[in-house]
Amino acid sequence: MASENSPLLAYRLLGDEGVAFSANGAGGPGGASARKLSTFLGVVVPTVLSMFSIVVFLRIGFVVGHAGLLQALAMLLVAYFILALTVLSVCAIATNGAVRGGGAYFMISRTLGPEVGGSIGLMFYLANVCGCAVSLLGLVEAVLDVFGADSARSSGLQVLPQGYGWNLLYGSLLLGLVGGVCTLGAGLYARASFLTFLLVSGSLASVLVSFVAVGPRSIPLTPRPGPNGSSLPPQVGHFTGFNSSTLKANLGAGYSKDYTTGAMMNFASVFAVLFNGCTGIMAGANMSGELKDPSRAIPLGTIVAVAYTFFIYTLLFFLSSFTCDRTLLQEDYGFFRAISLWPPLVLIGIYATSLSASMSSLIGASRILHALAQDDLFGVILAPAKVVSRTGNPWGAVLYSWGLVQLVLLAGKLNTLAAVVTVFYLVAYAAVDLSCLSLEWASAPNFRPTFSLFSWHTCLLGVASCLLMMFLISPGAAGGSLLLMGLLSALLTARGGPSSWGYVSQALLFHQVRKYLLRLDVRKDHVKFWRPQLLLLVGNPRGALPLLRLANQLKKGGLYVLGHVTLGDLDCLPSDPVQPQYGAWLSLVDRAQVKAFVDLTLSPSVRQGAQHLLRISGLGGMKPNTLVLGFYDDAAPQDHFLTDPAFSEAADGTQEGGSPALSTLFPPPRAPGSPRALSPQDYVATVADALKMNKNVVLARACGALPPERLSRGSGGTSQPHHVDVWPLNLLRPRGGPGYVDVCGLFLLQMATILGMVPAWHSARLRIFLCLGPREAPGAAEGRLRALLSQLRIRAEVQEEEGDFVNGRRGDAEAEALAGSANALVRAQQGRSRGEGPGGPEGGDGEGGPATALTFLYLPRPPADPARYTRYLALLEILTRDLGPTLLIHGVTPVTCTDL
């Protein structure tokens, strides 16, 4: 009996983050023992330090001096509005279930799937690696600006030699310090981050106090080089203290050249610099594997950090605008030192923020890399990152990331990479917003986060804002990042990823399909848009593989359902035997490369099961209108699994990945002479049942004789020319009179025409045989048929054949006469097409033309008397004997018209 244990046990509860997670991918590195960090140390501190970075000390004057107070506040509001939208999405996802190691990568991959999540996760990892290198190089430049031997400042020790090699050495030494802290574990990192946080907070406090305590002063500025290499006259900046005139002068924008780059500033360039410094909201989420309660700590800590940094930035903007003239703001971005009560404390703050940003980037990168390695998305390339210590610290991922940062440091100055890093961060933010948006749009019952201050409007606005910022900061980097994401997604799609994570795309598809199915109103159906919707009843797919592919070609974009009846009575069974079979049938659909649904049922008889499937298969306006059956004869079924290349399997009976082979999931074909599950009486009765239900019927015989290229998905244009013959009896002589056309005959024409639209059948020549009545003059009916074909846009050859044909709908007794006369005529014609005339046995028709590849024949209605079913089936067998691949078709619904 099926297990009734809930799969919730495999994921634990929100507060139980044990080692059971490690078996399923990106779990915490060491289980519960590694989860030690509180909300403050694990989320607030790293997020605040990442969002401050070096910008809070060296770019306040840049922003306010160029943009003015009003535009600077507008920039800050816009930047934090964009970040807040992403924070809302992070809070929603984090409070919807257990969050494990990997932070943003875990959230994205478990929502959007391994293809998108893995590609963005790798890009987010590279952004953290490059961000660590940028922070270290910024720290080196800040140190050398004061202590470098070539420093332009007149003050300072100026003892450190400078140059590319020296700069690389200083960066490597600092990286060794940062890497050592991160290698020893999250606990030491948290303590180091807290110490850094205290230093930065003390430095900022001294700056805030200095704005109030320091009196007005003039500050000499470093001379700037002139246009011809000469120095410009020295300038003096003024710290005025709190002065309304200073504030009034600083309200408006005053964009000028940036003295560090010589470029003319504008709103977009200043905003990009400000936004670059504010990114870092994922620093706490990256530590999800070390947090005691990530579902609570991530939203709470991130919101506190964002609110705190926003308050500090706003306060610094106001204080700078009230107390510093524009010359000081624009010509000395590090003016905090000049106005500080104790300038060394500002230097300590600058160095501490840079060091903390590099530590945060490195440890965040290592956690993302470890999660990627645990999920095994990129194979052996990331295998070293799986190594963890006994306490759960992923030191292998730290060393891996340390090596990559060292390689990036070799590039020297990374000003150009700074924009790329920010764009990569924004890609991850947009993906988080998209994940939350997808979950909200999917309306899944299990998406019920405890954090409710979000909606699909905020998620959509967050995605749009992040994309807009990407192209505003660097259009080239934005386009390149999206291209890289597409290439990585294609690579992961080709490799194949885990299917047990749950794809939100499936929930979205379900939601949209349900919505559109409700709008697909059967009352609005029109014959102009008719298409075949097939139900193919299959006993054993081993012997029905050619028919399965032929039916796939006949569907013309319509519904295609594979139906199978398992014999049994549920009252006598402990559980439903049908449900476990779906996996094998879905694998069959994948291997056969057909676009079909699978519908299985349990019934005491095949006939009753077929009735069930005819009634309940499909949904709404997508229900089968045509039943397809294999022909009932005494021929021994072939095992096409043994000859079809798509079903070739290993000698041990397994497929790739170790799953059982299809040959072990389906029984061998029925042996000759063995009993059948379906009697001749029930077979004909099933045909009669389908016609009573107003379903079209197709009986297929000898489809295994079709060449493989005719059943392939590619083009058959290079193959030998061949004919598709159609015998539409009574096409121009229906019971409605000369002004009408027989529905069944048109159905034959339509199905043959549909087959000709398939690439593998493009080389086929459609040939229609028109059967003349006893009093019909040759030529008249052919002209009427050609006129009809012209109206129906069907290109075909027309041949008239004489025969004493009767209307098969007049009575049951005439069905035999119809079958007998049709048999004589078709066999005579088929004899000519097989070359029994002058063309020889292998020469096609009498003139050596193409042979017939497939024949469409009219299927008469079964007799009303069940006692005559056996005779009816025998006549069909005689009718189609030795004809090769044949489709016997009876249509009951209009399928085409001549109107536009």
Side-chain angles (χ1 to χ4, degrees), residues 510-649:
F510 178 89
H511 183 73
Q512 294 300 312
V513 168
R514 180 195 61 84
K515 181 172 70 175
Y516 285 113
L517 274 176
L518 289 173
R519 297 176 61 182
L520 187 61
D521 193 345
V522 294
R523 295 168 296 183
K524 298 179 181 179
D525 282 348
H526 194 279
V527 67
K528 290 190 298 183
F529 307 111
W530 180 91
R531 65 182 70 228
Q533 304 197 77
L534 309 180
L535 170 62
L536 172 62
L537 288 184
V538 180
N540 189 336
R542 285 175 171 269
L545 199 54
L547 175 56
L548 190 143
R549 288 184 169 137
L550 180 62
N552 185 65
Q553 294 175 331
L554 288 171
K555 71 180 187 303
K556 186 53 180 176
L559 178 68
Y560 180 23
V561 180
L562 293 182
H564 174 73
V565 180
T566 298
L567 297 179
D569 188 351
L570 195 59
D571 291 339
C572 304
L573 298 171
S575 63
D576 184 7
V578 169
Q579 297 302 322
Q581 300 179 23
Y582 272 97
W585 284 87
L586 292 174
S587 298
L588 169 72
V589 169
D590 294 337
R591 296 286 286 276
Q593 294 184 321
V594 298
K595 298 177 180 180
F597 297 95
V598 174
D599 212 343
L600 311 178
T601 188
L602 180 70
S603 179
S605 69
V606 175
R607 180 185 177 185
Q608 291 184 20
Q611 292 176 1
H612 297 166
L613 294 174
L614 283 170
R615 292 185 186 278
I616 65 175
S617 289
L619 192 64
M622 296 185 65
K623 296 185 72 68
N625 57 27
T626 303
L627 174 66
V628 183
L629 296 170
F631 195 77
Y632 196 99
D633 56 20
D634 295 329
Q638 303 178 17
D639 191 349
H640 295 282
F641 280 15
L642 301 178
T643 57
D644 196 297
F647 291 82
S648 58
E649 292 154 346

Side-chain angles (χ1 to χ4, degrees), residues 66-92:
H66 288 287
L69 177 60
L70 297 180
Q71 290 194 19
L73 290 175
M75 292 179 185
L76 189 66
L77 287 173
V78 172
Y80 269 78
F81 176 72
I82 295 173
L83 296 176
L85 293 174
T86 302
V87 169
L88 295 179
S89 299
V90 170
C91 295

